[in-house]
Amino acid sequence: RRLFAKFDINGDGAITPEELQLLLHDELGLASTPADAALMVAQVDRNADGKVDYAEFEATMKAAGYASSSSSSTAAPAASSTLSRLAVKHKDAILTVRHGAANSQHSWSSEEMMAFTEVVNSRLAGDARLATYLPIDNAEGSTALFESCADGVVLCRLINLVDPDAVDERAINVKKLSKFKIIENNNLAINAAKDIGCRITNIGAHDVMEARPHLILGLLWQIIRLLLTMKISLKESPELARLLEGDETLTQLLALPPERVLVRWVNYHLKAAGSHRRITALGKELADSVVYDTLMRQLYGSARCPRRVNESDADLERRAEAVLSNARSVGVEPFIKPRDVASGNAKLNLAFTAQLFNDCHGLAPLEEAQIAELAELDLDDSGDTREARTFKLWLNSLNLTDRTTGDLVQVNDLFRELCNGLPILSVMDHIKAGCVPWKKVAAAPKNRHHLVENGNRVVEVGKKELDLVLVNIGGLDIADGNKKLILAVMWQLMRRSTVDLLASLKNDGTKVEEAEIVAWANAKVGGASRIRTLGDKALATSKFLIDVCAAISPDTVNWDLVTPGKSDDDALLNARYALSIARKLGAGVFCTPEDITEVRPKMILLFLAALWQVDLEKKTGGPSRKVADVPALSEDAPPR
């Protein structure tokens, strides 16, 4: 896995030809051309998505006689490849490569830069606050996109298109942007991106400020992906229930990631059109444009798609131009270019397919029975569902690895996906390495007995290894997806992880208790305000939380924006501001403004603990200094 990580430069879980070319040619000095890199990827790329995932990499490495001692892959046997032979031969040199070092050069996709620039220009057009930023130059090879994102302002505005509550616009620094103010903005953007579900690895505020192309493209893609797939959900598009297969339930459909839903949607319309074609991914299988042509004629009718794809034309870009021309004819302005379709670029084809879905999904309205079934699902983030959202985002932020597939663990539906016990056990092993007896765990549970056994293992490890209080919780409860009890387990794990981190930063050999977190916060504000417990109703105004933020970095808070918090609206404004200020400091907080105004003690604990972590790391130079490097005081501190 360490070897794979050296090839996977942007940390997205897959090796692209560009990353392979960079490592072999630029980092190791081997005589490798882009064509060589593309061929090496193609030799290993069994699912034809244009890149090498961990399972494919591990399989070819095993075939070359190299296997990790901790390997648990169930991947099918594969042949040795040029990639695996080179990796084995140069293993020692590859493992010493330091990505992100000052002398490293990183490749990036000009095609993706141009497409992402189009998205930013289009979606943020008309925002008068960005008049000095937009439109961003979209010429091939231009670095204007990265420079425009460097101070965090554009990123924050883009994130708010996904979730308007992610960033309090009042907290964005827009005047006299010193280095420290830019770092604050980038901290805010990065932590807000985590809060909307982005996976942030190996990127910090300084990386954005230095306009590092490959890292900014990686961050932008995650935000743009969320932006383009917002409607691909049962909440926004209930007609997706038409895509149910066999005895599948709506809950199972709800758990599918947008990419899989789009694949199913495309296949649904291909079948309706009488086509024999089917796709398994949004990449190489779309390169000949035939699927797009069939899909668009099914959605819009042939009369609105005047240019027909000539299947006998060997020029794939010319075919793609016909498809994109038809898209413009029906009112869809594509962000991608013919070469992106013809090359099978997975990201950009996902973007175009999502554009088509958002414009016209072509699914018939539901019958009454389906509407009634859908009404029984909890599709809103409220109450316990908000708590589940917090735990889901936290779990995904840990960047855990699925021991069966080698992929990053990405949970979409907390209760459904945790019922096999595996993600919970992975969290436990993350908190206390080696505490899970993996040989006794059903890595690919096939029946209810396996689910219950894994659930029992969760309870056993929780009690014996992590001292969790799991009274009246059994393996059956985990297997049944008991919401209340799964939330109880996840809360204790998140709390344990949080206090363990604080204890390690304190480095005095003592544990951290809740009362100590309250005492630290009270001492930090120095008597300006005070709380008795984590459930103190005075917390509803957020003024105490803002006081704590100001005590860590006085110049980060603009007191002119803080209200008395006496009315519900004022309290909510303060809560939004408090969350954004904490994120500017570098705190990873996943709660919502409502969690604060309702004074939910668990969420208050996590909020204050995140601030304490930032404070300790500022003093000790701990791991989060890559993300948070905020000055204690500056001359332009606003008056309180």
Side-chain angles (χ1 to χ4, degrees), residues 340-367:
D340 304 324
V341 177
S343 67
N345 186 299
K347 292 178 184 176
L348 301 185
N349 277 284
L350 165 61
F352 180 55
T353 307
Q355 280 187 280
L356 294 176
F357 178 93
N358 292 337
D359 183 69
C360 176
H361 58 59
L363 300 171
L366 303 181
E367 284 90 16

Side-chain angles (χ1 to χ4, degrees), residues 419-431:
C419 68
N420 67 14
L422 296 174
I424 303 178
L425 290 168
S426 293
V427 173
M428 290 176 163
D429 206 46
H430 172 82
I431 293 172

Side-chain angles (χ1 to χ4, degrees), residues 38-58:
L39 180 60
M40 281 189 269
V41 166
Q43 288 176 339
V44 183
D45 179 22
R46 290 182 293 172
N47 63 4
D49 64 354
K51 51 194 175 183
V52 179
D53 60 31
Y54 181 74
E56 292 166 335
F57 181 78
E58 186 175 29

Side-chain angles (χ1 to χ4, degrees), residues 362-396:
L363 300 171
L366 303 181
E367 284 90 16
E368 290 185 8
Q370 290 174 307
I371 294 173
E373 184 182 355
L374 196 62
E376 295 177 1
L377 294 178
D378 186 2
L379 300 177
D380 294 308
D381 286 340
S382 60
D384 285 344
T385 309
R386 284 210 311 266
E387 198 168 291
R389 170 191 175 277
T390 294
F391 298 152
K392 178 183 72 175
L393 291 172
W394 170 72
L395 190 158
N396 289 338

